[in-house]
Amino acid sequence: MIDYSRDDDGVVTLTMNDPAQPANTMTEAYVAAMSAAVDRLHAEREQVTGVIVTSAKKTFFAGGDLPTMYRATRADAPALFKLLSTIKWDLRRLETYGRPVVAAINGAALGGGLEIALACHHRIALDRPDTRIGFPEVTLGLLPGAGGVTRTVRMLGLAPALTTWLLTGRRFRPADALANGLIDQLAATPAELIIQAREWIRANPDAAQPWDRDGYRIRGGLPAAQLPAFPATLRKQLKGASLPAPEKILATAVEGAQVDFDTAQVIETRHLITLLTGRIAKNMIGAFFFDMRAVNGGLARPRVEAPPPRRVAVLGAGMMGAGIAQACAEAGLDVVVRDVTPELAARAAGPGITTTAEVAALAGCDVVIEAVFEDPALKQRVFAEVLPVVAPDALLASNTSTLPITGLAAGVQRPGDFIGMHFFSPVGKMPLLEIVVGEKTSDAAVARAFDLGRLIGKTPIVVNDGRGFFTSRVIGTFLDEALTMLAEGVPAPSIEHAALQAGYPTGPLALADEVSLTLMQRIRRQYEAATGDGFERLPSHELVDAMVDKHERPGRSGGRGFYAYGNGKRGLLWEGLVEMATPAGRAVPLEDLKDRFLFAEALDARRCLDEGVLRTAEDGNVGSILGIGYPAWTGGVLRFAEQHDDFEGRARELAARYGKRFEPA
């Protein structure tokens, strides 16, 4: 896995190149190869003037071996300790070798890859647009355990190491990594990368790590006065949620800063093993590695050939339409945006985007994405206007969040080419795309929509038709549960804090304001009209109607909702909420509030899978985290149910206390 080559100047190049994988990771093959390479370096020390560590892959090093990590159990702890100790010992032997060691980072260096680079005395990164450098471990429920915490703290100081690198999971571009202290130099080309590495070796024959020199102190010292503030700051960042990975990173950094380097390494190893053998890391690795890889790899894409998109028509130049147009243009597609007037269409103007009010300007478009108001008649009308001029086999996509695709397709010619493409706002930031398949949607249309989603950088899940599809339906369940709590007399602050402490990114009442109570009311009334006598009216519906119709509080867009708003900022919860609720007959325990949110969504997601709305569990897990904010620590809405110690029993408990909606199917 590691090629060892020494030139006439005595410079040894260690080139990492795992023959069994497209990227280098910390597999057993890496461990054995690095041990052998370092052994040889020490054996040939008198003939060596310096060392360059680089990669033969497009990336430098991708990090830890996640499949192996995923399988780790508590019984594996002694073996894991030995393995991690070996990895660290070899990197320690490399940095104390007595010769200059340079990391020539020719591509992405994430997690373990960055840890290898930090064990070198100097780091030069190839300045390419796709190169990323960082520690994503916290987003997988882990911590950098091959010396990453220990070295970063000693290199940058406690506060910068934690707040910039270790707790954020950020993946920096090379220039940003240089500005933030973990990269020393940039190179414009692969050849220049190696030239600069050789030059640095010649200029620094006595190179050593700062912490191995006499008189070294951690930059900024140990900020004893600030130490009590670190846990409070972290808790504020986590919004009260208790997540083991960031807590262990903080503990590792603070504890390790107060002892010698080798002891700090042991502390780091022990904390990592605790995370590796725990449930939450497995949940997060399952979602963000296995499920994400399956979804993006086309698990739900029909195995049919599909022509690539070339020219996209976007109907509607509002915020959503403009965002879709920009995403398509940034992917190199020719984009035309149409609205009813040139002035309205111009709202979506940008590089690679043509705006127009003329139907004729859409001639030849092979993809049509409609992003107009959520009105079935309006959507069908705009399709009817453009169908005569676009390509005869154009993909016809509606960006709707709730309206059934089969019903929309009934009013449009060529229903086999008609599909739902539900983007999330803001389009530029939200990574998910929900592809909705109607009764007559063809496999070719699904494949074309999927390929377009991947082309513009989205993670596309594929679901079957139904009111609300998957994401809007399940997040509606979340909001309904919050409003039910409010109607029961649970104090509004308790509802918000319970959701945040469960790991949701936003409180449900704040989210309802963002969605708009008016929109929630309209969607529910559409569903009520379609269902007829079978519709069950809930206390949450009465509450929304009172908010909108009686108190004129439509949500954030109207400046008044569950919260007050001023100068574009959310203020305090509205005092009138106390009077709207039924006086509470009993206090509801915090754990019940948290579980009511988690279980309400998990149970509805299981119904989506049973009913065929969800095609795969992987789509449900990924969609719930990326699209509707289900807590990432769960590994996704369906994995939460699978890994819970007693999901069925706890659901029945909640059903007995709060209603039959919690009865497990």
Side-chain angles (χ1 to χ4, degrees):
M1 176 171 172
I2 298 178
D3 177 69
Y4 184 108
S5 173
R6 189 177 79 233
D7 65 14
D8 294 340
D9 295 326
V11 175
V12 172
T13 301
L14 302 180
T15 305
M16 299 178 289
N17 187 17
D18 190 337
Q21 298 189 123
N24 298 313
T25 60
M26 282 186 174
T27 59
E28 291 182 4
Y30 158 79
V31 177
M34 182 59 81
S35 292
V38 176
D39 285 345
R40 185 172 174 183
L41 282 173
H42 279 269
E44 299 179 2
R45 188 175 184 279
E46 296 307 315
Q47 290 81 48
V48 176
T49 57
V51 181
I52 299 172
V53 181
T54 191
S55 166
K57 307 283 189 184
K58 291 182 180 179
T59 57
F60 178 72
F61 200 98
D65 182 24
L66 290 175
T68 299
M69 294 180 182
Y70 187 74
R71 294 190 295 269
T73 67
R74 292 188 178 184
D76 297 319
L80 286 170
F81 188 90
K82 182 178 179 181
L83 176 67
L84 288 164
S85 298
T86 299
I87 292 171
K88 290 182 172 184
W89 171 238
D90 287 332
L91 293 179
R92 188 71 179 131
R93 288 199 295 155
L94 185 65
E95 71 182 354
T96 58
Y97 178 49
R99 299 288 186 268
V101 183
V102 179
I105 304 171
N106 60 304
L110 298 170
L114 181 53
E115 291 179 291
I116 292 171
L118 291 181
C120 302
H121 304 123
H122 192 70
R123 287 155 295 284
I124 309 172
L126 184 60
D127 194 9
R128 291 193 329 201
D130 59 343
T131 296
R132 293 292 182 274
I133 295 164
F135 292 118
E137 282 89 345
V138 69
T139 66
L140 295 171
L142 301 171
L143 61 80
V149 177
T150 303
R151 289 189 175 88
T152 304
V153 167
R154 279 161 171 73
M155 193 172 292
L156 303 178
L158 196 57
L162 287 167
T163 58
T164 302
W165 290 93
L166 299 170
L167 289 173
T168 65
R170 288 180 61 188
R171 303 174 184 223
F172 290 87
R173 296 178 186 274
D176 294 328
L178 175 69
N180 284 287
L182 288 193
I183 295 298
D184 301 305
Q185 200 173 343
L186 302 180
T189 66
E192 185 180 317
L193 182 69
I194 300 303
I195 290 170
Q196 289 180 2
R198 292 178 180 279
E199 289 175 348
W200 195 87
I201 286 171
R202 283 196 297 271
N204 296 273
D206 298 321
Q209 297 284 35
W211 45 89
D212 290 323
R213 295 186 182 277
D214 292 339
Y216 166 77
R217 292 186 64 201
I218 290 178
R219 185 178 296 184
L222 189 63
Q226 298 178 34
L227 287 182
F230 280 114
T233 301
L234 179 61
R235 186 162 182 80
K236 182 179 179 181
Q237 290 173 346
L238 298 178
K239 301 177 182 177
S242 180
L243 300 178
E247 291 168 1
K248 290 295 186 186
I249 289 172
L250 175 60
T252 300
V254 172
E255 293 165 14
Q258 301 178 77
V259 296
D260 64 87
F261 186 92
D262 291 334
T263 304
Q265 292 263 66
V266 175
I267 290 170
E268 181 185 275
T269 298
R270 288 174 173 163
H271 281 311
L272 174 60
I273 290 173
T274 300
L275 294 173
L276 272 176
T277 57
R279 182 71 258 174
I280 288 178
K282 296 189 187 327
N283 291 346
M284 297 179 79
I285 292 170
F288 291 107
F289 181 71
F290 291 106
D291 290 351
M292 193 79 76
R293 184 171 63 175
V295 169
N296 282 330
L299 176 67
R301 183 194 184 280
R303 300 295 183 260
V304 297
E305 292 294 323
R310 298 181 305 277
R311 192 162 194 253
V312 178
V314 178
L315 310 181
M319 183 175 68
M320 185 63 77
I324 295 169
Q326 183 178 356
C328 292
E330 288 175 352
L333 296 170
D334 184 16
V335 182
V336 185
V337 180
R338 180 187 178 236
D339 214 313
V340 292
T341 68
E343 293 77 18
L344 288 174
R347 294 177 298 174
I353 301 172
T354 302
T355 64
T356 184
E358 302 299 325
V359 174
L362 308 182
C365 287
D366 57 344
V367 176
V368 180
I369 303 176
E370 163 271 307
V372 302
F373 190 68
E374 288 282 273
D375 181 325
L378 174 61
K379 290 177 180 291
Q380 291 172 342
R381 185 166 69 248
V382 297
F383 274 111
E385 291 172 350
V386 305
L387 276 176
V389 300
V390 299
D393 60 348
L395 178 68
L396 309 174
S398 175
N399 173 57
T400 176
S401 59
T402 59
L403 296 174
I405 291 302
T406 301
L408 292 177
V412 176
Q413 296 176 13
R414 297 193 286 112
D417 294 325
F418 196 87
I419 198 165
M421 292 183 71
H422 175 203
F423 290 84
F424 294 76
S425 183
V427 176
K429 291 185 177 179
M430 295 295 283
L432 191 71
L433 170 65
E434 185 177 30
I435 296 172
V436 187
V437 182
E439 287 181 7
K440 296 186 178 180
T441 304
S442 68
D443 282 354
V446 178
R448 292 173 71 185
F450 185 96
D451 294 348
L452 174 60
R454 293 299 297 138
L455 180 65
I456 63 176
K458 301 300 179 187
T459 293
I461 64 170
V462 180
V463 305
N464 288 326
D465 200 11
R467 187 164 294 274
F469 322 131
F470 168 63
T471 57
S472 295
R473 168 177 164 173
V474 173
I475 201 170
T477 303
F478 171 65
L479 296 176
D480 270 345
E481 194 59 36
L483 300 182
T484 299
M485 292 175 184
L486 193 61
E488 289 173 359
V490 178
S494 297
I495 295 170
E496 298 292 79
H497 286 304
L500 295 175
Q501 289 185 37
Y504 288 90
T506 306
L509 302 182
L511 179 60
D513 276 357
E514 296 289 341
V515 170
S516 136
L517 304 183
T518 307
L519 178 60
M520 291 171 61
Q521 183 187 61
R522 184 186 310 119
I523 291 170
R524 187 249 305 159
R525 285 177 173 172
Q526 288 173 344
Y527 184 43
E528 188 174 2
T531 306
D533 294 339
F535 182 80
E536 181 184 3
R537 193 166 176 85
L538 303 173
S540 59
H541 302 155
E542 305 289 349
L543 194 148
V544 169
D545 287 346
M547 287 288 290
V548 175
D549 300 331
K550 179 180 178 182
H551 300 289
E552 298 181 344
R553 302 189 71 87
R556 181 164 189 162
S557 59
R560 295 155 50 88
F562 290 115
Y563 286 82
Y565 297 89
N567 300 320
K569 295 183 178 180
R570 185 171 68 235
L572 300 176
L573 282 157
W574 179 45
E575 294 177 354
L577 293 177
V578 176
E579 300 173 3
M580 292 183 64
T582 302
R586 58 180 172 174
V588 179
L590 175 62
E591 287 305 311
D592 281 12
L593 293 178
K594 291 159 64 174
D595 275 357
R596 283 174 67 174
F597 288 131
L598 295 167
F599 275 72
E601 291 192 275
L603 288 163
D604 201 23
R606 293 211 309 188
R607 287 189 285 269
C608 286
L609 195 61
D610 292 342
E611 295 165 12
V613 172
L614 274 175
R615 292 182 163 198
T616 71
E618 290 85 349
D619 281 335
N621 289 328
V622 169
S624 67
I625 295 174
L626 297 188
I628 57 175
Y630 199 71
W633 65 264
T634 64
V637 70
L638 291 166
R639 184 174 277 104
F640 172 75
E642 292 170 4
Q643 59 82 42
H644 194 280
D645 289 338
D646 184 16
F647 184 82
E648 309 290 327
R650 179 59 169 153
R652 283 191 288 270
E653 267 184 28
L654 295 173
R657 293 178 190 174
Y658 305 108
K660 63 182 181 181
R661 63 190 177 280
F662 289 106
E663 281 290 347

